[in-house]
Amino acid sequence: MMDAIHGIVESPDALRFVHRNLLDATDFAGYLRQRPPYVSLERSLLGEGDSLSIDDSTVAAADAARLVRRLGHDVTIFLNGWNIVEGTPYCFSGFNAVLDETRVNQVTSEGTLHDLRTARGKQSFRRSVKLQWMAIASESDREELIAGIGRMLGIDSIVVPPHLSPLTPEQVRELIDIGVDVQNHGWIHVRMSAISADAQAENILLGREWLRSEYGVESSFVATPYGGDIPPWNTSPHYKAWFLLDSTLTIEQHPADVFSRATLELAS
Ligand SMILES: [Zn+2]
């Protein structure tokens, strides 16, 4: 098994979008204490045990990585260098904060009316906006989209909570120092199939060069942002393995160096 998570937070509230995809820190610690140790991603590829990887350059992801190491497991974190270097949160973090804070009752998106007084209406609006931002190639255009939606929903300046803030460069160094394996989630968190093959290669190369020049790390793994896209080439000199997340592809549809991870769900 190759498990994957997005981070931890204390007592997450299932109704808050800023807690989306995050595990309860206490529950996760309990889970780690009772299961066999996770081995490195490298070893799990050789069939030597289960591995755990954590996606994205957030404080919540780093908190999870530190906890996992403290409890004696190996762990990999997939980072987007751009968010760390620029100190800029992910656009989806800002959008989740907008969804939690808005007092607007309803909104129309792509011809559909969404009732924002209900969780279901907010979720359907989120899905609609996510389809829009996943088709956008540049970070600044994505930010503009989310800022515009924020204004439309009465949130003029978007405040992302501390657990969704990007890591600082020093915090990345601290993770490496405690034995966290840091790997490449692309320089920016762009849906790979939304950009050309050349732009995908560039996004991977920039992330890799950043890990090498800043931290002396030779990254050999890529986790594709949003988890669903296979590479547009057969082999690459820029990684040994490419990881999906919760992909609907069958094993037969995977190229040889593409591997599936599944989001870890804790029994409640
Ligand atoms: Zn991601």
Side-chain angles (χ1 to χ4, degrees):
M1 284 292 294
M2 292 193 243
D3 291 331
I5 64 172
H6 282 86
I8 56 171
V9 68
E10 299 289 343
S11 308
D13 178 344
L15 295 176
R16 291 189 69 196
F17 284 84
V18 292
H19 289 164
R20 213 172 166 275
N21 289 340
L22 301 177
L23 296 175
D24 181 293
T26 306
D27 292 351
F28 186 49
Y31 169 77
L32 291 170
R33 284 194 179 93
Q34 56 81 40
R35 66 151 288 135
Y38 281 116
V39 303
S40 67
L41 204 46
E42 181 101 51
R43 286 184 56 197
S44 77
L45 287 176
L46 300 170
E48 296 179 6
D50 297 344
S51 62
L52 177 71
S53 50
I54 309 172
D55 285 6
D56 300 344
S57 306
T58 64
V59 165
D63 286 348
R66 277 190 290 270
L67 175 66
V68 174
R69 288 298 295 145
R70 196 157 65 236
L71 295 178
H73 301 260
D74 284 338
V75 66
T76 293
I77 189 167
F78 284 102
L79 298 175
N80 301 103
W82 182 86
N83 300 83
I84 292 165
V85 170
E86 297 292 324
T88 303
Y90 292 97
C91 74
F92 45 81
S93 298
F95 182 49
N96 287 336
V98 166
L99 285 173
D100 285 339
E101 299 304 320
T102 185
R103 294 290 171 265
V104 169
N105 286 338
Q106 57 185 40
V107 64
T108 300
S109 170
E110 316 262 279
T112 302
L113 181 70
H114 304 274
D115 181 352
L116 300 182
R117 292 166 299 187
T118 67
R120 183 191 291 258
K122 282 187 177 179
Q123 276 154 8
S124 66
F125 178 54
R126 191 183 189 283
R127 276 194 297 276
S128 160
V129 174
K130 184 177 178 182
L131 287 177
Q132 292 173 51
W133 88 59
M134 287 208 305
I136 296 175
S138 93
E139 279 294 346
S140 57
D141 290 351
R142 259 193 300 277
E143 275 177 28
E144 217 165 278
L145 170 76
I146 299 303
I149 288 169
R151 286 191 295 275
M152 187 170 77
L153 296 187
I155 312 290
D156 285 335
S157 76
I158 298 175
V159 179
V160 166
H163 70 273
L164 295 182
S165 296
L167 293 180
T168 64
E170 294 72 32
Q171 287 168 327
V172 176
R173 169 61 62 197
E174 287 162 15
L175 292 178
I176 294 168
D177 288 346
I178 61 168
V180 176
D181 175 40
V182 299
Q183 296 287 346
N184 192 0
H185 202 25
W187 177 240
I188 63 171
H189 200 281
V190 64
R191 183 168 188 201
M192 291 295 206
S193 57
I195 59 179
S196 68
D198 283 351
Q200 294 184 48
E202 160 111 341
N203 195 36
I204 288 166
L205 195 55
L206 284 173
R208 189 162 198 248
E209 290 295 338
W210 168 71
L211 286 170
R212 179 187 289 145
S213 62
E214 288 300 309
Y215 302 105
V217 168
E218 287 296 329
S219 68
S220 45
F221 302 139
V222 167
T224 187
Y226 302 105
D229 296 319
I230 58 172
W233 43 71
N234 288 324
T235 58
S236 168
H238 304 311
Y239 58 83
K240 286 195 300 190
W242 171 290
F243 292 92
L244 307 172
L245 179 59
D246 299 331
S247 164
T248 53
L249 296 177
T250 64
I251 298 291
E252 292 74 39
Q253 290 169 312
H254 287 191
D257 55 356
V258 173
F259 301 89
S260 276
R261 301 174 299 154
T263 295
L264 174 68
E265 314 245 14
L266 299 182
S268 49

